[in-house]
Amino acid sequence: MKKYRFLFVLAFVFSGLLMFSSCEDDMEELIIPEINPSETHFDVDYKEGEVSIELNSNVIVYTTIDSEDKGWLKYKYQDSCKTLVLTYFENDTTADRIGHALLTYGDSILDVTINQAGNPNAISGKKVVDIGYEITTVDYGGTAVTLFMVSTEQTAKIPVGAIVEIQCSSDEGTIMFIGTESEISGRPVNGKFNFVWTAAMAAGDGLMARLDGGFNPVSMKALYSQKSHLFELMTVDYGGTPVNLLQISAEEAANIPIGSIVTIECNSDNGSIMLIGTEPMIMGSPVNGKFSFTWTATMAAGEGLLARIDGGFDPKVIYSISFKTELAYEITTVDYGGTPVTLFMAAAEQTANIPIGASVVIECSSDEGTIMLIGTDPMVMGSPVNGEYVFAWTTAMAAGDGFMGRLDGGVEPIGLYCRN
């Protein structure tokens, strides 16, 4: 009996030794987090682009973009998380900027930096986006026709309400856009041809124009100012029915420039939105994930914005697109058959800065009097409202040599600018 007890104790001790030996082996096999990225610093130019990093890690790597850089630097994983892709937007300032992507592996952090050059084309307060295009010649009934074409991929970079500027090597020749809702054509002035990008253009399949007489584009850009706006989604009970609402507070709405294009970006084209209290009614569905409308003086005078959303309308961000270009002018009085006539004039050098489709605003000291533009067809005339007289800049006006208006009844201009 003692013999068996001895053998049992011996077996127990021996198994314990094996157990401890196994634990020691496990401890020796503990994984030490390691990462050997293919690159940790990138110097890139001002244009948008992306870089790829082979992580070469034996553990899961988590990526965080520094909070100050989230507006222009994004990330995604590829190849079963073995590759990290950092995407950067075009630099909209003249200053260089450095972005940081923090890679966390185990208890360690590695900083990957992107040093992006400043944009030499940036204008203070404006974003400048390069737009790619193609020039080709086709046979049209035996006649060679030169076409200027912009793909859908490129026009997707242009926000509704932006100025599109085509820079040319000279002022020779003409351009005529094909298939646009409103007629857009003309010649370069001071080497530039400008127009406003509309919602109808954005909904189209790219852009095409005919070039004649030596019209020679050398670059194409979109210029605009962009502001993001906070909003709130809520559900209220309306007679026993739940109603989904989107709201922009009065405080936030005060940051939206009058005349700007407000765009609601959505996660899909599903559903519909109807603004409440606007006149005329504004409603519709997203197109290519965007719903846009013009922010009017009446909206600006209200208490923020309220809209009903239905059918899965799913907003993710709201921003306004605007531009404003100050213009010089002159006021003079001439004798017309013995009667003094006061004229308001802007030289061709100034009106060359007005894109076709823009709103021209004559700021006045009051709502008194009238303004009548001379030589326009149809006639453009009226009185200031809330201290502003506003008219649309057309293709015909752009083809003229500046513009002139007659002032009567005490109207007193104090400023001139164009906006969307």
Side-chain angles (χ1 to χ4, degrees), residues 198-277:
T198 66
M201 293 174 183
D205 187 19
L207 189 69
M208 183 183 297
R210 173 171 175 162
L211 309 181
D212 291 290
F215 189 102
N216 184 30
V218 295
S219 71
M220 182 177 183
K221 304 177 185 299
L223 301 89
Y224 58 94
S225 296
Q226 179 173 321
K227 290 183 179 180
S228 296
H229 301 289
L230 300 174
F231 65 96
E232 183 181 358
L233 299 177
M234 64 184 75
T235 302
V236 298
D237 182 85
Y238 184 73
T241 302
V243 175
N244 296 319
L245 298 176
L246 179 150
Q247 183 179 41
I248 299 177
S249 69
E251 181 181 8
E252 186 64 33
N255 297 318
I256 306 177
I258 295 174
S260 65
I261 302 298
V262 176
T263 296
I264 304 174
E265 281 197 11
C266 303
N267 289 305
S268 70
D269 286 352
N270 295 335
S272 62
I273 183 170
M274 179 180 70
L275 305 193
I276 298 172

Side-chain angles (χ1 to χ4, degrees), residues 264-404:
I264 304 174
E265 281 197 11
C266 303
N267 289 305
S268 70
D269 286 352
N270 295 335
S272 62
I273 183 170
M274 179 180 70
L275 305 193
I276 298 172
T278 58
E279 183 65 45
M281 181 183 292
I282 296 175
M283 64 182 299
S285 298
V287 176
N288 297 326
K290 298 177 182 178
F291 178 80
S292 301
F293 60 93
T294 301
W295 188 254
T296 65
T298 303
M299 293 177 184
E303 292 295 323
L305 180 72
L306 191 64
R308 173 170 175 163
I309 54 178
D310 292 290
F313 187 96
D314 186 16
K316 60 181 181 179
V317 65
I318 298 179
Y319 55 84
S320 59
I321 297 295
S322 64
F323 64 83
K324 181 179 180 180
T325 304
E326 301 285 348
L327 304 168
Y329 62 93
E330 181 184 355
I331 296 177
T332 187
T333 300
V334 299
D335 182 84
Y336 184 73
T339 301
V341 175
T342 303
L343 299 176
F344 179 92
M345 299 184 296
E349 180 183 348
Q350 293 297 310
T351 58
N353 297 313
I354 308 175
I356 295 171
S359 295
V360 178
V361 181
I362 302 175
E363 295 180 291
C364 303
S365 60
S366 70
D367 289 352
E368 294 182 1
T370 59
I371 300 174
M372 180 181 69
L373 301 192
I374 298 173
T376 58
D377 188 16
M379 181 183 294
V380 177
M381 66 178 298
S383 298
V385 176
N386 297 325
E388 293 183 341
Y389 179 71
V390 184
F391 62 93
W393 191 249
T394 65
T395 294
M397 291 175 182
D401 188 19
F403 79 87
M404 181 184 300

Side-chain angles (χ1 to χ4, degrees), residues 131-134 148-158 197 201-202 204-208 220:
I131 307 299
Y133 60 89
E134 181 182 353
F148 177 88
M149 298 188 297
V150 186
S151 68
T152 306
E153 180 183 4
Q154 291 297 312
T155 58
K157 299 179 183 179
I158 310 174
W197 190 251
M201 293 174 183
D205 187 19
L207 189 69
M208 183 183 297
M220 182 177 183

Side-chain angles (χ1 to χ4, degrees), residues 18-164:
L18 288 176
M19 184 184 303
F20 284 117
S21 174
S22 177
C23 287
E24 286 181 2
D25 290 343
D26 288 343
M27 290 177 67
E28 290 176 358
E29 294 176 3
L30 285 176
I31 296 176
I32 299 175
E34 292 181 356
I35 183 172
N36 295 293
S38 55
E39 189 67 61
T40 59
H41 178 80
F42 298 88
D43 290 310
V44 299
D45 64 21
Y46 69 90
K47 297 181 180 179
E48 67 179 56
E50 65 180 31
V51 294
S52 296
I53 304 168
E54 301 299 326
L55 295 175
N56 301 318
S57 176
N58 61 348
V59 294
I60 296 174
V61 177
Y62 299 93
T63 302
T64 305
I65 301 299
D66 192 83
S67 58
E68 295 183 357
D69 306 322
K70 288 183 177 180
W72 65 277
L73 189 59
K74 309 293 181 184
Y75 76 91
K76 62 182 178 182
Y77 292 107
Q78 290 182 345
D79 190 24
S80 300
C81 296
K82 296 178 182 178
T83 302
L84 175 67
V85 179
L86 296 177
T87 302
Y88 48 90
F89 297 162
E90 182 168 314
N91 194 340
D92 56 6
T93 71
T94 57
D96 293 358
R97 60 186 179 185
I98 299 178
H100 299 269
L102 305 178
L103 310 186
T104 302
Y105 58 105
D107 295 328
S108 302
I109 296 178
L110 180 68
D111 187 8
V112 175
T113 57
I114 290 186
N115 182 21
Q116 187 178 35
N119 187 342
N121 301 315
I123 302 172
S124 178
K126 272 184 184 172
K127 290 191 175 184
V128 182
V129 180
D130 289 318
I131 307 299
Y133 60 89
E134 181 182 353
I135 296 177
T136 187
T137 301
V138 299
D139 181 84
Y140 185 72
T143 302
V145 176
T146 302
L147 296 177
F148 177 88
M149 298 188 297
V150 186
S151 68
T152 306
E153 180 183 4
Q154 291 297 312
T155 58
K157 299 179 183 179
I158 310 174
V160 175
I163 298 175
V164 177

